[in-house]
Amino acid sequence: MDQTLAPITAPIPVRASSTDDPAELLRFAIDAHGLGAAALATLIDIRGGAARALGAHMAVAADGRFCGYVSGGCVEAAVASEALLAMAEGRDRTVKFGDGSPFFDIVLPCGGGITVAIHVLKDVGALRHVLDRLERRQAPGLAYSPERQTLEPIDPLPRACWLDRDFLTVYRPRTRIVLSGQTIEAQAVARLAEASGYDVIVRGRGEGAADIIDPFTAAVLLHHDLDAESAILEAALHSPAFYIGALGSTRTHRRRVERLTAMAFGQDDIRRIKAPIGMFGPTRDATSLALSVLADVAAARLVAYA
């Protein structure tokens, strides 16, 4: 009886989640590797405009599931298809999209071009290193060598870049919001910050905060009484927080400055305080204030860790 073998078809790429959180992407890659095979795609070059920053990742499983973004959503399925081919061949590959790409039917809306390096994971030790450092709220880094097809942990540089023939990616802990205040404004900020994926810690009057404010923390003080904010403001000023904001009018802040000056805080310390708090104002409702505060925090984080 004549028999013919059915052709082997590649899996169809399908988005598993809409996250772009690096820690979630790396966990996805580790889990996929444990189930068979996985690839990590990294944005390593930008020509013109781009929707994502250098070092942005996608993680792709051997069954076609993927998550993450290297663009605005217009090339991700194509990247996943290339990753599946790389896994089938067992070799890394580098692919261009948009300007300068051989894929004429894939156009980036921004008009620019990107290059994506696809690494077939041989082990996940380097990824576990990153997750462990992030869990301890430390900034790790990875070095990818296209020539050796390796991924190794490194001490992080200020930003993702090429160094000699290796591409270096930096990871930073998610933004932590240390929030002080028993006001309706504080409740609104907490809700919006949690919805935005921030790590929110609420501290009441007199509660310590020195041990939880690190370089990736924004201290947000929403009190209507200078005495109530005093302890946590002092802790914030002695900390490496990238943002310190305090509620109150310009007149209230002048009183705050006088108090801090009398306590021997220098002008450089005092200038760290954003007061009145927020990116825009004045606001007249809690939701608007929450939007103003978190926009200000996000902008400050970009400046601190661009």
Side-chain angles (χ1 to χ4, degrees):
M1 181 176 178
D2 186 24
Q3 294 181 334
T4 57
L5 294 176
I8 299 175
T9 58
I12 298 174
V14 57
R15 178 168 290 283
S17 77
S18 296
T19 185
D20 60 0
D21 183 317
E24 292 187 32
L25 302 183
L26 297 185
R27 290 190 194 98
F28 179 93
I30 291 171
D31 291 343
H33 181 269
L35 294 174
L40 188 68
T42 306
L43 177 58
I44 61 170
D45 183 55
I46 297 172
R47 300 176 297 283
R52 300 282 161 170
L54 283 178
H57 283 318
M58 283 179 56
V60 185
D63 61 6
R65 292 176 300 120
F66 69 90
C67 62
Y69 294 87
V70 292
S71 185
C74 48
V75 303
E76 276 68 13
V79 172
S81 294
E82 292 290 330
L84 290 170
L85 292 173
M87 282 184 274
E89 296 173 357
R91 290 188 57 80
D92 293 2
R93 56 175 53 195
T94 300
V95 189
K96 292 183 177 181
F97 297 95
D99 181 43
S101 168
F103 301 109
F104 298 109
D105 56 335
I106 301 177
V107 179
L108 275 63
C110 58
I114 61 173
T115 302
V116 178
I118 298 171
H119 173 58
V120 179
L121 291 169
K122 302 173 183 65
D123 63 73
V124 293
L127 305 191
R128 293 190 187 280
H129 166 82
V130 171
L131 291 178
D132 178 67
R133 292 285 295 270
L134 289 176
E135 184 68 24
R136 289 184 279 139
R137 293 192 62 80
Q138 299 172 357
L142 289 179
Y144 171 65
S145 170
E147 291 183 358
R148 298 189 303 274
Q149 300 190 20
T150 57
L151 200 59
E152 299 177 349
I154 58 165
D155 291 330
L157 271 67
R159 60 185 56 84
C161 65
W162 283 95
L163 182 62
D164 297 326
R165 296 185 179 182
D166 292 348
F167 184 80
L168 311 183
T169 304
V170 60
Y171 306 85
R172 297 186 180 92
R174 69 173 59 193
T175 298
R176 169 176 287 170
I177 305 286
V178 171
L179 179 62
S180 179
Q182 302 297 320
T183 60
I184 185 174
E185 293 90 353
Q187 295 171 23
V189 170
R191 287 195 303 270
L192 188 56
E194 289 170 352
S196 300
Y198 292 163
D199 176 21
V200 180
I201 298 178
V202 179
R203 281 290 185 265
R205 180 172 181 170
E207 288 187 274
D211 58 334
I212 56 173
I213 301 179
D214 59 27
F216 309 100
T217 296
V220 176
L221 314 182
L222 301 177
H223 295 275
H224 293 292
D225 177 1
L226 292 181
D227 289 331
E229 73 176 26
S230 178
I232 194 166
L233 179 57
E234 288 183 50
L237 289 172
H238 285 301
S239 80
F242 73 88
Y243 178 92
I244 303 171
L247 190 66
S249 65
T250 302
R251 180 180 299 176
T252 298
H253 187 57
R254 282 198 294 267
R255 290 173 47 219
R256 180 183 291 120
V257 170
E258 291 170 358
R259 290 167 62 117
L260 292 171
T261 302
M263 296 167 64
F265 280 97
Q267 289 303 305
D268 288 344
D269 291 325
I270 294 172
R271 277 193 289 267
R272 293 177 64 197
I273 306 169
K274 180 63 178 293
I277 195 170
M279 178 170 281
F280 56 86
T283 58
R284 293 292 183 259
D285 63 272
T287 300
S288 295
L289 178 69
L291 290 168
S292 179
V293 168
L294 292 180
D296 210 20
V297 168
R301 167 98 186 203
L302 286 174
V303 171
Y305 301 109

